[in-house]
Amino acid sequence: MIFSMNRTDTTPRIGVLANDDSWYFHDLERAAKGVADVTRVDFAALQSRIGGPEKISAETLLSGKVEAIIVRSMPPGSLEQVVFRMDALAGLERQGVLVINPPKSMELAIDKYLSLSKLAEAGFRMPETHVCQTWQDAVAAFEQLGPSVVVKPIFGGEGRGIMRVDDPDLGHRVFKTLQQMGQIIYLQRFVPHPGYDLRVMVLGDQMWGMRRSSADNWRTNLSRGATATAETIPGEVAQIAQAVMRTLDLSIAGLDFLPDGEGGWYLLEVNAVPGWKGLSAACEVDIAAKLIEYVRERIACRTR
């Protein structure tokens, strides 16, 4: 154990990696009142001192001072910055700190190609996808996957950077532009959209369902104006969701499912830093309180 043996208080100390204006941090802070000490941690402030036992800090010392870290944001950065941030979280994990989600699981889920590759290998059903580096290969893939494809960034969320391409000439220009920008080209067969999809929030062995509907946009992200209502999770989807969580070793995640029109479901993607503002309202559940309770129980199990 890395924690002080003469510590007498039993209030868990939890760091939350979040932006300074994060609604989610303030929601966790509210939910933790009286049961946990919650402190905001800035990703850009993470640093490490090596030479003797490694000490990882972010303005204040984290090594030996917090029992858990909740990753609530994943800001963009250079390759070196992203790698170091994950390395620092892995260092805290080696020192006994509970990291939600684990760094290796975060790396899997954040990288759409890596996560879909692993999930496809495990037998999960998802739209046919092609990932390449040149516009010529993308044009060939479009001809095979078309007549309509969705082009996505490998990293990203909330529908940012996603576009539908159903015209070969437009696709040609889009693919060339992406290659010139040094981007990987990620194409996914467009699945006919029924006007809604299903977001499943999983936390440990609990889960909640939310239907996201949009009458005039195939992108059903709430940040783009979609409406949210509570939805009963079909048994098949619930089983898939728990199996995905085990496959990627996630503690909390948002999973997006799309009906195939024939009674089945496609798994679209897995979000390892899921928002819960809309889901909490739609399902009338305090997700922040559930998450704090989950972390406290995990800490207590380690202590015992």
Side-chain angles (χ1 to χ4, degrees), residues 34-282:
V35 297
D37 291 334
V38 170
T39 303
R40 190 184 72 84
V41 179
D42 193 328
F43 252 121
L46 281 175
Q47 51 191 297
S48 175
R49 175 66 62 86
I50 302 173
E54 183 178 11
K55 294 181 180 179
I56 299 171
S57 61
E59 297 180 351
T60 59
L61 188 66
L62 298 176
S63 298
K65 297 297 183 181
V66 297
E67 284 95 336
I69 290 285
I70 297 173
V71 181
R72 194 33 265 164
S73 69
M74 184 57 63
S78 67
L79 177 60
E80 286 189 351
Q81 287 173 317
V82 172
V83 169
F84 170 70
R85 291 165 184 172
M86 291 296 101
D87 288 345
L89 290 179
L92 287 170
E93 193 174 47
R94 289 193 301 273
Q95 294 172 16
V97 177
L98 173 67
V99 182
I100 304 294
N101 282 297
K104 288 298 181 185
S105 302
M106 292 282 296
E107 291 175 9
L108 272 174
I110 290 171
D111 182 336
K112 287 186 177 69
Y113 167 68
L114 190 58
S115 60
L116 258 66
S117 175
K118 187 174 181 66
L119 292 170
E121 183 181 17
F124 296 99
R125 186 185 183 207
M126 57 201 63
E128 191 174 357
T129 303
H130 190 96
V131 184
C132 57
Q133 300 181 68
T134 70
W135 68 266
Q136 294 96 332
D137 289 337
V139 167
F142 175 79
E143 292 175 353
Q144 297 171 355
L145 298 177
S148 183
V149 300
V150 176
V151 180
K152 301 180 179 182
I154 282 188
F155 305 113
E158 297 184 337
R160 292 187 298 269
I162 296 178
M163 66 181 301
R164 179 179 173 184
V165 176
D166 50 17
D167 177 81
D169 292 335
L170 175 61
H172 187 264
R173 292 195 295 272
V174 168
F175 305 148
K176 266 195 171 182
T177 300
L178 290 173
Q179 181 180 336
Q180 290 168 356
M181 294 171 61
Q183 302 292 308
I184 295 297
I185 308 172
Y186 180 107
L187 303 87
Q188 195 166 68
R189 185 190 301 276
F190 179 78
V191 178
H193 201 283
Y196 74 91
D197 67 6
L198 177 62
R199 161 58 67 96
V200 176
M201 169 78 81
V202 185
L203 173 61
D205 58 1
Q206 305 174 86
M207 66 175 66
W208 303 271
M210 173 178 68
R211 177 185 284 222
R212 303 183 301 185
S213 304
S214 179
D216 55 4
N217 195 329
W218 58 272
R219 290 175 292 188
T220 55
N221 307 88
L222 299 186
S223 60
R224 295 186 174 273
T227 59
T229 54
E231 182 81 355
T232 300
I233 303 172
E236 175 193 357
V237 172
Q239 292 178 3
I240 294 171
Q242 286 291 5
V244 168
M245 298 295 285
R246 291 191 297 270
T247 300
L248 300 183
D249 191 26
L250 293 165
S251 300
I252 182 173
L255 290 76
D256 294 338
F257 292 89
L258 191 66
D260 65 0
E262 300 177 352
W265 295 84
Y266 287 105
L267 172 64
L268 294 183
E269 60 183 67
V270 180
N271 187 339
V273 188
W276 61 76
K277 191 173 185 179
L279 186 137
S280 284

